[in-house]
Short mmCIF file of all heavy atoms in Angstrom, two decimals:
data_model
loop_
_atom_site.label_atom_id
_atom_site.label_comp_id
_atom_site.label_asym_id
_atom_site.label_seq_id
_atom_site.Cartn_x
_atom_site.Cartn_y
_atom_site.Cartn_z
N LEU C 1266 -13.09 13.21 -7.96
CA LEU C 1266 -13.81 12.36 -8.90
C LEU C 1266 -14.76 13.19 -9.76
O LEU C 1266 -15.38 14.14 -9.26
CB LEU C 1266 -14.65 11.31 -8.16
CG LEU C 1266 -13.89 10.31 -7.28
CD1 LEU C 1266 -14.89 9.36 -6.62
CD2 LEU C 1266 -12.88 9.54 -8.11
N THR C 1267 -14.85 12.85 -11.03
CA THR C 1267 -15.80 13.52 -11.94
C THR C 1267 -16.89 12.56 -12.37
O THR C 1267 -16.59 11.51 -12.95
CB THR C 1267 -15.11 13.95 -13.25
OG1 THR C 1267 -13.91 14.64 -12.95
CG2 THR C 1267 -16.03 14.83 -14.09
N TYR C 1268 -18.12 12.92 -12.09
CA TYR C 1268 -19.26 12.21 -12.67
C TYR C 1268 -19.98 13.20 -13.59
O TYR C 1268 -19.86 14.42 -13.45
CB TYR C 1268 -20.25 11.76 -11.59
CG TYR C 1268 -19.70 10.72 -10.64
CD1 TYR C 1268 -19.04 11.10 -9.46
CD2 TYR C 1268 -19.84 9.36 -10.90
CE1 TYR C 1268 -18.53 10.14 -8.59
CE2 TYR C 1268 -19.35 8.40 -10.04
CZ TYR C 1268 -18.70 8.79 -8.88
OH TYR C 1268 -18.20 7.84 -8.02
N HIS C 1269 -20.72 12.65 -14.56
CA HIS C 1269 -21.59 13.50 -15.38
C HIS C 1269 -23.03 13.09 -15.08
O HIS C 1269 -23.68 13.65 -14.23
CB HIS C 1269 -21.25 13.34 -16.86
CG HIS C 1269 -19.98 14.02 -17.28
ND1 HIS C 1269 -18.74 13.47 -17.12
CD2 HIS C 1269 -19.77 15.23 -17.84
CE1 HIS C 1269 -17.82 14.29 -17.57
NE2 HIS C 1269 -18.42 15.39 -18.02
N SER C 1270 -23.48 12.06 -15.81
CA SER C 1270 -24.88 11.62 -15.68
C SER C 1270 -24.94 10.28 -14.96
O SER C 1270 -24.10 9.40 -15.20
CB SER C 1270 -25.48 11.49 -17.08
OG SER C 1270 -26.77 10.93 -17.01
N LEU C 1271 -25.93 10.11 -14.09
CA LEU C 1271 -26.19 8.79 -13.51
C LEU C 1271 -27.36 8.18 -14.27
O LEU C 1271 -28.52 8.55 -14.05
CB LEU C 1271 -26.52 8.90 -12.01
CG LEU C 1271 -25.39 9.41 -11.10
CD1 LEU C 1271 -25.78 9.21 -9.63
CD2 LEU C 1271 -24.06 8.74 -11.38
N ASP C 1272 -27.05 7.30 -15.20
CA ASP C 1272 -28.10 6.61 -15.97
C ASP C 1272 -27.53 5.31 -16.50
O ASP C 1272 -26.33 5.07 -16.42
CB ASP C 1272 -28.62 7.50 -17.10
CG ASP C 1272 -27.58 7.72 -18.19
OD1 ASP C 1272 -27.28 6.77 -18.91
OD2 ASP C 1272 -27.06 8.85 -18.32
N ASP C 1273 -28.41 4.48 -17.03
CA ASP C 1273 -28.00 3.14 -17.46
C ASP C 1273 -27.73 3.02 -18.96
O ASP C 1273 -27.72 1.92 -19.51
CB ASP C 1273 -29.08 2.12 -17.05
CG ASP C 1273 -29.12 1.92 -15.54
OD1 ASP C 1273 -28.05 1.65 -14.96
OD2 ASP C 1273 -30.21 2.04 -14.94
N SER C 1274 -27.51 4.16 -19.63
CA SER C 1274 -27.35 4.11 -21.09
C SER C 1274 -26.01 3.52 -21.52
O SER C 1274 -25.86 3.09 -22.66
CB SER C 1274 -27.48 5.51 -21.68
OG SER C 1274 -26.34 6.29 -21.36
N GLY C 1275 -25.02 3.51 -20.62
CA GLY C 1275 -23.71 2.98 -20.99
C GLY C 1275 -22.87 3.96 -21.79
O GLY C 1275 -21.80 3.60 -22.30
N SER C 1276 -23.31 5.21 -21.93
CA SER C 1276 -22.54 6.19 -22.71
C SER C 1276 -21.29 6.62 -21.94
O SER C 1276 -21.13 6.32 -20.76
CB SER C 1276 -23.41 7.43 -22.98
OG SER C 1276 -23.30 8.36 -21.92
N VAL C 1277 -20.40 7.37 -22.63
CA VAL C 1277 -19.14 7.79 -22.00
C VAL C 1277 -19.37 8.81 -20.88
O VAL C 1277 -18.46 9.06 -20.10
CB VAL C 1277 -18.15 8.40 -23.02
CG1 VAL C 1277 -17.69 7.36 -24.01
CG2 VAL C 1277 -18.71 9.62 -23.72
N ILE C 1278 -20.56 9.39 -20.82
CA ILE C 1278 -20.81 10.34 -19.72
C ILE C 1278 -21.66 9.71 -18.61
O ILE C 1278 -22.05 10.39 -17.67
CB ILE C 1278 -21.49 11.64 -20.22
CG1 ILE C 1278 -22.88 11.35 -20.81
CG2 ILE C 1278 -20.60 12.39 -21.19
CD1 ILE C 1278 -23.72 12.61 -20.97
N SER C 1279 -21.94 8.42 -18.73
CA SER C 1279 -22.93 7.81 -17.83
C SER C 1279 -22.31 6.83 -16.85
O SER C 1279 -21.47 6.01 -17.21
CB SER C 1279 -23.98 7.07 -18.66
OG SER C 1279 -24.57 7.95 -19.60
N THR C 1280 -22.75 6.92 -15.60
CA THR C 1280 -22.44 5.92 -14.58
C THR C 1280 -23.79 5.35 -14.13
O THR C 1280 -24.70 6.12 -13.81
CB THR C 1280 -21.75 6.58 -13.37
OG1 THR C 1280 -20.54 7.20 -13.80
CG2 THR C 1280 -21.43 5.55 -12.28
N PRO C 1281 -23.93 4.02 -14.10
CA PRO C 1281 -25.21 3.48 -13.63
C PRO C 1281 -25.48 3.89 -12.19
O PRO C 1281 -24.56 3.85 -11.35
CB PRO C 1281 -25.01 1.96 -13.73
CG PRO C 1281 -23.91 1.78 -14.74
CD PRO C 1281 -23.01 2.98 -14.56
N PRO C 1282 -26.71 4.29 -11.87
CA PRO C 1282 -27.03 4.72 -10.50
C PRO C 1282 -26.65 3.66 -9.45
O PRO C 1282 -26.17 4.00 -8.37
CB PRO C 1282 -28.55 4.94 -10.53
CG PRO C 1282 -28.85 5.23 -11.96
CD PRO C 1282 -27.86 4.45 -12.78
N ALA C 1283 -26.84 2.38 -9.78
CA ALA C 1283 -26.52 1.32 -8.81
C ALA C 1283 -25.02 1.27 -8.53
O ALA C 1283 -24.59 1.01 -7.40
CB ALA C 1283 -27.00 -0.03 -9.34
N VAL C 1284 -24.23 1.54 -9.56
CA VAL C 1284 -22.76 1.55 -9.38
C VAL C 1284 -22.38 2.74 -8.50
O VAL C 1284 -21.56 2.60 -7.58
CB VAL C 1284 -22.05 1.64 -10.75
CG1 VAL C 1284 -20.56 1.93 -10.58
CG2 VAL C 1284 -22.26 0.35 -11.53
N PHE C 1285 -23.00 3.89 -8.76
CA PHE C 1285 -22.70 5.07 -7.93
C PHE C 1285 -23.03 4.79 -6.47
O PHE C 1285 -22.24 5.08 -5.57
CB PHE C 1285 -23.50 6.27 -8.44
CG PHE C 1285 -23.31 7.51 -7.59
CD1 PHE C 1285 -22.14 8.24 -7.65
CD2 PHE C 1285 -24.31 7.91 -6.71
CE1 PHE C 1285 -21.95 9.37 -6.86
CE2 PHE C 1285 -24.13 9.04 -5.91
CZ PHE C 1285 -22.95 9.77 -5.99
N ARG C 1286 -24.20 4.18 -6.24
CA ARG C 1286 -24.59 3.87 -4.85
C ARG C 1286 -23.58 2.95 -4.19
O ARG C 1286 -23.17 3.16 -3.05
CB ARG C 1286 -25.97 3.19 -4.84
CG ARG C 1286 -27.13 4.15 -4.66
CD ARG C 1286 -28.38 3.42 -4.21
NE ARG C 1286 -28.78 2.37 -5.14
CZ ARG C 1286 -29.44 2.59 -6.28
NH1 ARG C 1286 -29.80 3.82 -6.60
NH2 ARG C 1286 -29.74 1.60 -7.08
N GLU C 1287 -23.15 1.95 -4.94
CA GLU C 1287 -22.18 1.00 -4.38
C GLU C 1287 -20.84 1.70 -4.08
O GLU C 1287 -20.21 1.44 -3.06
CB GLU C 1287 -21.96 -0.16 -5.35
CG GLU C 1287 -21.19 -1.28 -4.70
CD GLU C 1287 -20.61 -2.27 -5.71
OE1 GLU C 1287 -19.93 -1.83 -6.65
OE2 GLU C 1287 -20.84 -3.45 -5.54
N GLN C 1288 -20.43 2.59 -4.98
CA GLN C 1288 -19.18 3.32 -4.76
C GLN C 1288 -19.25 4.17 -3.49
O GLN C 1288 -18.31 4.19 -2.69
CB GLN C 1288 -18.87 4.20 -5.98
CG GLN C 1288 -18.49 3.39 -7.22
CD GLN C 1288 -18.31 4.23 -8.45
OE1 GLN C 1288 -18.79 5.38 -8.52
NE2 GLN C 1288 -17.63 3.69 -9.45
N MET C 1289 -20.37 4.85 -3.31
CA MET C 1289 -20.51 5.70 -2.13
C MET C 1289 -20.56 4.86 -0.85
O MET C 1289 -19.99 5.22 0.18
CB MET C 1289 -21.76 6.58 -2.23
CG MET C 1289 -21.73 7.59 -3.37
SD MET C 1289 -20.32 8.73 -3.34
CE MET C 1289 -19.35 8.12 -4.74
N GLU C 1290 -21.23 3.71 -0.95
CA GLU C 1290 -21.28 2.82 0.22
C GLU C 1290 -19.89 2.31 0.57
O GLU C 1290 -19.52 2.22 1.74
CB GLU C 1290 -22.23 1.64 -0.04
CG GLU C 1290 -23.67 2.00 0.26
CD GLU C 1290 -24.67 1.09 -0.44
OE1 GLU C 1290 -24.29 -0.03 -0.83
OE2 GLU C 1290 -25.83 1.53 -0.61
N TRP C 1291 -19.10 2.03 -0.46
CA TRP C 1291 -17.74 1.54 -0.22
C TRP C 1291 -16.90 2.63 0.46
O TRP C 1291 -16.18 2.36 1.43
CB TRP C 1291 -17.10 1.09 -1.54
CG TRP C 1291 -15.74 0.50 -1.32
CD1 TRP C 1291 -15.46 -0.75 -0.87
CD2 TRP C 1291 -14.49 1.16 -1.51
NE1 TRP C 1291 -14.09 -0.90 -0.77
CE2 TRP C 1291 -13.47 0.25 -1.15
CE3 TRP C 1291 -14.11 2.44 -1.93
CZ2 TRP C 1291 -12.11 0.57 -1.21
CZ3 TRP C 1291 -12.77 2.75 -1.99
CH2 TRP C 1291 -11.79 1.82 -1.64
N LEU C 1292 -17.00 3.86 -0.03
CA LEU C 1292 -16.24 4.97 0.59
C LEU C 1292 -16.63 5.11 2.06
O LEU C 1292 -15.78 5.33 2.92
CB LEU C 1292 -16.51 6.29 -0.16
CG LEU C 1292 -15.96 6.41 -1.58
CD1 LEU C 1292 -16.37 7.74 -2.19
CD2 LEU C 1292 -14.45 6.27 -1.61
N ALA C 1293 -17.94 4.99 2.33
CA ALA C 1293 -18.43 5.14 3.71
C ALA C 1293 -17.91 3.99 4.58
O ALA C 1293 -17.42 4.21 5.69
CB ALA C 1293 -19.95 5.17 3.72
N THR C 1294 -17.98 2.76 4.06
CA THR C 1294 -17.54 1.59 4.82
C THR C 1294 -16.05 1.66 5.12
O THR C 1294 -15.60 1.32 6.22
CB THR C 1294 -17.82 0.29 4.02
OG1 THR C 1294 -19.19 0.29 3.67
CG2 THR C 1294 -17.51 -0.94 4.83
#
Side-chain angles (χ1 to χ4, degrees):
L1266 298 180
T1267 311
Y1268 295 90
H1269 286 83
S1270 173
L1271 295 191
D1272 68 70
D1273 290 308
S1274 72
S1276 87
V1277 295
I1278 63 165
S1279 304
T1280 301
V1284 169
F1285 176 75
R1286 267 199 302 281
E1287 191 196 53
Q1288 290 175 341
M1289 295 303 109
E1290 275 159 21
W1291 183 79
L1292 291 177
T1294 306

